[in-house]
Amino acid sequence: MGNLLLKLAYFLEGSHKYYTFKHFVYEFLEDTSSKKKKYFDFLMIFLVLSTVGIMIYEVNHVTLPWLSTYETVAIIIFIIEWLGRFWVISHAHRQIVEDYEKSRLINQTFQIKESVKTIIKEKLRFVFSPMSIIDLLAILPYYRPLRILRILMLFRLFKLLRYANSIKQFSDVFVEKKFEFFTLAIMFFMAITFGSTIIFIYEGAGVNDNIHTFFDAVYWSVITISTVGFGDISPVTTEGRVATIFLVVGGVGVIAFFTSIVTTALSTRLLALKEEKVIGEANALKEFVIICGYGRMGKVLAQEFIKIKQKFIIIDHEDEVFSHANTQNILSIKGDATDSSFLSTIGINKGASSIVAITNDDAVNLSIILTARSQNPDINIIARANNQKVKKKLFLAGANEVVSANEISALVAAEYIGQPIAFEAIDDILLNTEGAIMDEVEIIQKSNYIGHKLENIDFTQFNLTLIGIVETSNHKKFTFNPQPDQYIIKELDILIIIGHKESVSKFKIELIGSKPKISMRKKISNKIISSKKQDK
Amino acid sequence: MIENRIIIYSFSQIASKIAITLREKKYNVLIVEDDEDLAQEAKKSGFETKTLSLMEDENIIELGLDKDHIKAFFCLGNNKNTNLFITLSVRNLNKDIKIISLSSTKEDNKTLLLAGANKTINPYEIGALRIFRSLHKPIIQDILDNILFSSSNIEIAEFTIQKDSIFNGIYLEDLKKIHKKNIIILGIQDKELSDKFIFFSTGINHKIDAGDTIVMLGFDHDLQDFKKLISKII
């Protein structure tokens, strides 16, 4: 028997199919990062709510046959789910394999009983875990003779805890504030004991018609201390009324204490929850930009990114700024961008392609650059220099580009004074407004235009002006206004053009799809040649 | 009368940078600053400086800002309200002077333009857009830098057509035929139509009249040649 188990364990350990299938099930049930679990959770939430709905319906209606079939199916799914969890919670066969190899290593005879014991222990730990008990209790009321346990159907609602992460977070609050709740419970217990004892002593012995047992007294004090006060039991003696006064006053205190504990715990949890959500979202992003500092510059940058649907995340440590970004529905997180562990949780070496350090403090910007560079040697870093003199240092720290707003503004101002109209023309392009844009169009591999002369592209037809060509194959050399009848288009050339947005996108589509047209001029010149030949 | 005179109000960080850049471009810069320390700093940097508050109209008149010979007035104080006040005062005294004011938000831009500024400079916006372009279109950024700000030989230039120029009355398309040099015509600003700039690439074949301004890109020497051609009289 032992031998058989051992063989089976080794067989499973070696089976690829077994592992893939187990992992597949694991993804559905336990892998919080998996999309499959999300869909599965939705299904389960629906099943839970619908079965509870059915039970409520059955209270004063005749059971419809299809409803009971539906419930049966749901219960079967619940059972399968529980069994699945029971299965994936640990690798039983591996325990046997490991124990066997260990015993061989130290030259001892292998005791399969020991391994089985550990396996059973592990599985039992799962069976008696709170969530598993809830699962089982949710299945139980289906068994008709146990209809008395119908109250347990409510446990199905607790099952929801499994599927909603945020609810689980709230239940964690109680664990977190254990000490406070414990103190509160003692206070509550003392007040209740005190109140119920007094009322029972003075009014229990037939004085008050409503108080017969000690339980009545406890019931009365709980109702009183909670300030609910149904009034079904009320004190009739002076002593009883004095006790009531103390209980009510004490009750207000207890409730205030309770409320404050719960609210503070929940609000801190809420922040943590939000942060977790933002980090989760950021980690799922690809090619996103981290903006450190959400000041006046950060706001403009964020607006531009939104326009082109570039993904980004804002980091700022000031509450005010942070909440502004929040109200704008921008992915933002409060934190210190100079903290390397913080940057790595956001995903500086995962999905981030660039980081922008634009706080109004050059020392902070420098620190961000160094931290980011140490975390990711390849990331593109752009920094703001508030003081031109620190530009060099920022480059030294590892920035790929340093922008001094004052310096550029000065250049822009000088340009405007010198050539106002030329400036206005380029202003449209600079400020990214609706008018004309300057854009780059790449000659993709296998493009039909490769090897042809530039004159084969008719820019005027698209209402575009060609400014120049960047030759990727030639060290990114920029040729200004290349001669159309001489320049030969190469693979990966980048055409720099000016025109309206629509014209540019039309042009891009054309360039990707079509064959080069031989221009009219060429056709005419061909004709001329042939007619000359005829003349001869 | 001093040629190419530019008056700059304030010697804030950005103002000093603008003053230095303009001086490099051979403009005659006068700094007006009401803060003693900053005025001293401006003097130390070698600028002609006056310690004056521009909140009084008399002081603005004393500077000659009500006369037309001043090329431009920069209002670059750190206080938004002072900038607004001074912009409005100067515009009130001189309808034609070019006023450039410092703003820090889009809303400020609007109020300053309303107060009479011809142009606002928002360093935050300019800086942010630069970062944006660096990330979004680095190649375009490089080329624009080359054309606009660096001392490379490709320049952007504008030429206003005079009444007796040989270009008066011809079409933009023909302009290209007349001049086949290595020059790209970006567009034209028509004085009659509006102040809006019309890009050549819109495809409208515009008739050039006196007073229109043509904007073009090209190598320095080609642009110089073109300038000679354009000032030729019929």
Side-chain angles (χ1 to χ4, degrees):
Chain A
M1 172 73 182
N3 232 341
L4 202 70
L5 271 180
L6 191 64
K7 264 188 187 163
L8 182 69
Y10 265 99
F11 170 72
L12 291 178
E13 181 71 17
S15 165
H16 180 68
K17 270 185 192 164
Y18 174 76
Y19 268 105
T20 356
F21 182 61
K22 195 164 184 177
H23 185 73
F24 180 74
V25 176
Y26 175 80
E27 274 185 315
F28 269 103
L29 298 176
E30 303 282 351
D31 187 1
T32 43
S33 64
S34 165
K35 269 218 164 127
K36 288 178 193 143
K37 178 170 161 57
K38 220 179 219 172
Y39 298 135
F40 180 75
D41 286 356
F42 273 122
L43 171 74
M44 294 311 280
I45 290 172
F46 176 75
L47 282 182
V48 167
L49 292 178
S50 53
T51 50
V52 170
I54 289 169
M55 285 199 146
I56 294 169
Y57 175 82
E58 281 176 355
V59 171
N60 52 5
H61 291 83
V62 184
T63 315
L64 298 169
W66 72 269
L67 279 180
S68 23
T69 319
Y70 178 83
E71 208 189 343
T72 314
V73 172
I75 292 294
I76 290 171
I77 294 174
F78 287 162
I79 294 170
I80 293 174
E81 182 208 3
W82 186 84
L83 288 175
R85 285 186 205 277
F86 182 80
W87 179 43
V88 297
I89 203 76
S90 64
H91 296 295
H93 69 277
R94 191 170 290 166
Q95 185 71 38
I96 298 175
V97 170
E98 277 173 7
D99 285 351
Y100 176 70
E101 287 184 352
K102 221 185 276 168
S103 65
R104 276 191 36 174
L105 207 69
I106 51 174
N107 259 337
Q108 259 182 358
T109 38
F110 173 57
Q111 298 282 341
I112 200 151
K113 270 185 200 160
E114 291 302 313
S115 305
V116 173
K117 257 189 206 168
T118 6
I119 292 165
I120 290 175
K121 250 191 220 165
E122 244 173 65
K123 295 288 181 192
L124 281 181
R125 201 182 302 144
F126 164 75
V127 172
F128 291 111
S129 69
M131 282 321 250
S132 152
I133 291 174
I134 287 175
D135 282 349
L136 289 174
L137 289 178
I139 297 167
L140 225 53
Y142 177 70
Y143 184 54
R144 299 285 152 167
L146 285 180
R147 287 303 284 230
I148 197 139
L149 293 176
R150 258 211 325 226
I151 187 74
L152 291 180
M153 78 177 186
L154 283 177
F155 277 96
R156 287 193 188 156
L157 286 177
F158 283 112
K159 251 173 95 67
L160 292 179
L161 289 180
R162 246 199 211 292
Y163 313 115
N165 251 334
S166 43
I167 301 176
K168 209 175 144 211
Q169 289 271 2
F170 285 124
S171 66
D172 286 350
V173 167
F174 291 92
V175 183
E176 220 171 72
K177 294 272 166 185
K178 227 190 302 185
F179 173 74
E180 284 88 340
F181 281 115
F182 185 64
T183 321
L184 185 75
I186 290 180
M187 272 173 63
F188 190 71
F189 177 76
M190 274 167 55
I192 295 292
T193 323
F194 173 80
S196 36
T197 313
I198 288 182
I199 204 85
F200 193 64
I201 289 171
Y202 286 102
E203 303 195 358
V207 180
N208 192 326
D209 290 342
N210 292 322
I211 299 173
H212 303 289
T213 59
F214 188 67
F215 178 75
D216 289 337
V218 173
Y219 167 76
W220 169 81
S221 33
V222 171
I223 295 302
T224 309
I225 204 169
S226 64
T227 70
V228 172
F230 285 131
D232 51 348
I233 302 173
S234 46
V236 287
T237 61
T238 315
E239 293 85 351
R241 284 184 180 142
V242 171
T244 313
I245 290 168
F246 279 105
L247 266 189
V248 169
V249 172
V252 172
V254 168
I255 284 175
F257 187 32
F258 177 77
T259 321
S260 78
I261 292 172
V262 174
T263 38
T264 49
L266 284 188
S267 65
T268 50
R269 260 289 137 168
L270 254 182
L271 261 184
L273 246 179
K274 234 179 195 172
E275 217 157 82
E276 236 166 66
K277 194 174 159 254
V278 170
I279 289 174
E281 273 177 46
N283 281 329
L285 291 180
K286 270 173 201 149
E287 292 283 307
F288 71 100
V289 178
I290 302 174
I291 302 179
C292 309
Y294 192 60
R296 282 179 281 206
M297 219 160 156
K299 277 175 197 154
V300 178
L301 192 57
Q303 288 311 317
E304 293 304 319
F305 277 159
I306 291 170
K307 270 191 216 161
I308 61 154
K309 296 194 175 105
Q310 162 73 45
K311 301 269 187 303
F312 64 95
I313 180 168
I314 304 263
I315 304 178
D316 204 298
H317 62 273
E318 273 177 52
D319 277 320
E320 215 178 294
V321 181
F322 174 65
S323 60
H324 179 268
N326 247 330
T327 53
Q328 299 279 309
N329 224 351
I330 291 171
L331 195 61
S332 56
I333 189 161
K334 194 181 154 193
D336 180 8
T338 61
D339 178 1
S340 56
S341 59
F342 177 69
L343 279 187
S344 75
T345 50
I346 284 173
I348 188 157
N349 32 33
K350 272 193 212 149
S353 60
S354 304
I355 180 164
V356 182
I358 43 173
T359 71
N360 52 15
D361 187 335
D362 285 333
V364 173
N365 288 344
L366 185 103
S367 180
I368 294 171
I369 297 170
L370 281 170
T371 318
R373 187 52 83 218
S374 69
Q375 290 284 311
N376 185 343
D378 301 318
I379 199 163
N380 183 27
I381 304 176
I382 299 184
R384 160 185 176 185
N386 298 282
N387 183 346
Q388 286 103 264
K389 285 170 194 159
V390 301
K391 243 178 141 172
K392 239 186 198 168
K393 284 181 198 160
L394 296 180
F395 273 122
L396 206 64
N400 298 79
E401 192 176 341
V402 178
V403 172
S404 160
N406 287 348
E407 202 177 283
I408 307 166
S409 302
L411 287 170
V412 168
E415 198 65 34
Y416 177 65
I417 291 297
Q419 307 192 92
I421 294 166
F423 178 83
E424 286 294 345
I426 220 88
D427 203 33
D428 259 3
I429 296 164
L430 278 174
L431 290 180
N432 230 17
T433 48
E434 286 304 305
I437 57 165
M438 196 168 182
D439 208 348
E440 50 198 61
V441 183
E442 196 184 44
I443 302 290
I444 51 166
Q445 289 173 333
K446 292 178 188 165
S447 163
N448 291 321
Y449 287 97
I450 295 169
H452 290 267
K453 281 182 183 165
L454 185 62
E455 62 186 3
N456 286 318
I457 303 176
D458 189 2
F459 290 99
T460 46
Q461 183 203 328
F462 291 97
N463 290 336
L464 295 171
T465 306
L466 177 77
I467 301 297
I469 295 179
V470 177
E471 296 171 59
T472 314
S473 53
N474 189 9
H475 306 288
K476 294 203 169 174
K477 188 189 150 212
F478 176 62
T479 313
F480 173 75
N481 197 12
Q483 293 302 315
D485 53 342
Q486 281 167 20
Y487 189 87
I488 307 281
I489 299 166
K490 291 189 291 293
E491 191 179 290
L492 300 179
D493 274 357
I494 296 166
L495 313 179
I496 307 298
I497 48 175
I498 288 183
H500 283 264
K501 268 178 195 163
E502 294 77 27
S503 316
V504 173
S505 43
K506 226 167 105 190
F507 178 63
K508 281 182 180 169
I509 295 166
E510 161 77 18
L511 213 57
I512 289 167
S514 75
K515 283 178 186 171
K517 293 171 199 149
I518 293 173
S519 67
M520 284 304 283
R521 212 181 331 157
K522 238 185 173 177
K523 276 184 191 163
I524 293 163
S525 60
N526 281 344
K527 257 188 190 168
I528 293 167
I529 293 166
S530 55
S531 61
K532 272 181 186 168
K533 272 181 189 167
Q534 276 177 358
D535 286 347
K536 272 180 185 177
Chain B
M1 196 176 90
I2 307 166
E3 287 249 334
N4 261 345
R5 180 69 143 178
I6 285 174
I7 297 179
I8 299 179
Y9 164 68
S10 168
F11 201 64
S12 57
Q13 232 192 24
I14 177 152
S16 69
K17 192 68 208 170
I18 287 177
I20 291 164
T21 312
L22 288 173
R23 184 166 63 184
E24 278 166 7
K25 301 220 168 196
K26 308 277 183 270
Y27 286 101
N28 192 300
V29 178
L30 168 69
I31 306 283
V32 183
E33 173 58 78
D34 46 13
D35 182 272
E36 273 296 336
D37 295 339
L38 284 176
Q40 277 304 320
E41 211 178 291
K43 266 181 203 158
K44 252 189 224 162
S45 308
F47 286 104
E48 183 189 343
T49 309
K50 278 197 176 153
T51 317
L52 263 184
S53 161
L54 292 186
M55 300 301 272
E56 317 281 336
D57 276 2
E58 296 83 57
N59 291 343
I60 296 173
I61 293 167
E62 188 193 319
L63 289 171
L65 269 172
D66 55 333
K67 310 248 167 53
D68 286 339
H69 68 270
I70 289 162
K71 195 155 171 98
F73 172 70
F74 281 87
C75 187
L76 306 174
N78 276 330
N79 186 309
K80 171 186 146 190
N81 296 330
T82 318
N83 279 347
L84 261 178
F85 190 89
I86 294 173
T87 303
L88 192 87
S89 311
V90 174
R91 177 57 74 223
N92 192 32
L93 290 169
N94 188 338
K95 295 275 172 284
D96 300 316
I97 194 169
K98 200 179 272 179
I99 303 175
I100 298 112
S101 303
L102 180 71
S103 90
S104 54
T105 61
K106 274 190 182 156
E107 291 71 37
D108 286 0
N109 288 355
K110 276 182 204 155
T111 41
L112 282 166
L113 291 177
L114 206 65
N118 298 77
K119 185 92 204 152
T120 55
I121 285 187
N122 180 349
Y124 302 104
E125 196 181 2
I126 293 172
L129 286 172
R130 191 188 169 80
I131 292 176
F132 171 73
R133 273 197 306 279
S134 291
L135 288 168
H136 186 44
K137 287 189 178 146
I139 296 170
I140 302 280
Q141 166 90 341
D142 272 359
I143 291 165
L144 276 176
D145 271 5
N146 252 318
I147 294 170
L148 286 177
F149 305 134
S150 85
S151 48
S152 77
N153 42 11
I154 304 167
E155 302 278 345
I156 186 166
E158 61 179 64
F159 300 112
T160 306
I161 305 292
Q162 304 300 324
K163 220 177 178 181
D164 43 8
S165 163
I166 54 164
F167 289 125
N168 190 357
I170 68 161
Y171 283 90
L172 261 181
E173 281 286 349
D174 301 324
L175 183 68
K176 255 204 152 173
K177 283 173 202 159
I178 292 174
H179 193 82
K180 281 183 178 168
K181 280 259 166 90
N182 200 2
I183 276 178
I184 294 170
I185 300 166
L186 267 189
I188 190 165
Q189 190 191 47
D190 191 315
K191 223 178 180 182
E192 289 160 18
L193 278 177
S194 70
D195 275 349
K196 190 91 184 114
F197 187 80
I198 307 160
F199 276 91
F200 185 56
S201 54
T202 45
I204 303 162
N205 194 7
H206 189 84
K207 192 182 166 197
I208 303 167
D209 294 316
D212 290 357
T213 306
I214 304 171
V215 175
M216 38 195 48
L217 286 170
F219 288 102
D220 205 16
H221 53 93
D222 289 329
L223 290 172
Q224 291 302 327
D225 286 352
F226 189 80
K227 199 174 183 183
K228 274 179 211 157
L229 188 73
I230 215 165
S231 41
K232 255 190 202 165
I233 297 165
I234 317 161

